[in-house]
Amino acid sequence: MFTGIVEATATVQSNEGGELTLTQPAVFDDVNVGSSIAVNGVCLTVTLLNNNCMQFHMVPETVERTNLSQLTLGEAVNVERAVRADARLDGHIVQGHVEGVAKVISFVDEGEGKRLTVQIPQELIKNVIQKGSIALNGVSLTVVSLEGNTCSVALVPHTLKETTFASCEPGDFLNIETDVLSRYAIAKKE
């Protein structure tokens, strides 16, 4: 389990044949083979640690459902270690079970921050609730507005500085995980 509070960014060293290698952030000094790491919101298991790099194996489901196979050499990703049971839950409950990708529609200035609007896959939109939580590329965010199959979130300057969102552009695809609590509440009603 994760919180959606990104701890660092890491750089793609290689991404071939279902094997993803990233630089190991200095704060990840307690990571071991077998550790769970959220990479752009996708829960992956460390399979190899070598030369300050972390390697992960991606199964076909991960390759097909996420944006990870599209990552290129030198690209930055958001990373977070699994939350400890005694830690503060600052974001929201993020499982790292990405449900699909959302397409960036707009990314515009709003005060000192930005407003990001994404198009949500039709089958997921029922799980998105205005003023509820959503994880985009592993970042815990609040849904500011919801219209049709688009949702907007507000990004504060700190989030822009500490995550990969500063380089976001219309047409980009972001991993999406809807709020697990809303999913269960909706499933219970059906």
Side-chain angles (χ1 to χ4, degrees):
M1 183 179 82
F2 306 93
T3 66
I5 303 299
V6 171
E7 296 180 277
T9 58
T11 305
V12 175
Q13 298 298 304
S14 69
N15 188 10
E16 296 178 18
E19 299 293 332
L20 176 65
T21 303
L22 306 174
T23 56
Q24 182 176 346
V27 296
F28 281 37
D29 57 356
D30 61 345
V31 170
N32 298 300
V33 170
S35 293
S36 292
I37 306 290
V39 177
N40 272 0
V42 181
C43 180
L44 296 176
T45 302
V46 176
T47 56
L48 179 68
L49 291 170
N50 191 13
N51 298 326
N52 296 318
C53 289
M54 307 178 292
Q55 188 173 69
F56 308 89
H57 177 77
M58 298 182 293
V59 298
E61 171 75 6
T62 301
V63 171
E64 293 169 17
R65 192 172 292 269
T66 72
N67 67 7
L68 296 185
S69 66
Q70 300 167 4
L71 296 173
T72 58
L73 183 66
E75 190 170 347
V77 294
N78 298 318
V79 290
E80 177 189 358
R81 292 171 288 185
V83 69
R84 293 182 355 199
D86 65 345
R88 183 174 288 131
L89 183 63
D90 285 336
H92 73 280
I93 297 170
V94 177
Q95 295 178 302
H97 303 166
V98 168
E99 298 164 88
V101 292
K103 183 178 182 180
V104 175
I105 302 301
S106 66
F107 188 58
V108 296
D109 292 336
E110 186 175 71
E112 293 182 34
K114 296 269 194 180
R115 178 165 298 215
L116 173 65
T117 302
V118 296
Q119 182 178 20
I120 306 290
Q122 193 61 45
E123 66 274 12
L124 300 180
I125 199 67
K126 69 178 182 178
N127 298 329
V128 181
I129 299 169
Q130 190 164 332
K131 304 303 180 201
S133 297
I134 193 167
L136 295 174
N137 267 9
V139 181
S140 175
L141 299 164
T142 301
V143 176
V144 173
S145 66
L146 189 59
E147 187 175 322
N149 68 334
T150 65
C151 92
S152 295
V153 296
L155 300 171
V156 298
H158 179 79
T159 301
L160 291 167
K161 181 181 172 200
E162 299 298 324
T163 70
T164 60
F165 280 122
S167 64
C168 194
E169 297 179 358
D172 287 350
F173 289 93
L174 307 175
N175 293 323
I176 179 173
E177 181 182 331
T178 60
D179 184 23
V180 65
L181 299 178
S182 70
R183 287 198 317 263
Y184 285 133
I186 291 165
K188 194 78 165 159
K189 285 182 181 180
E190 295 175 347

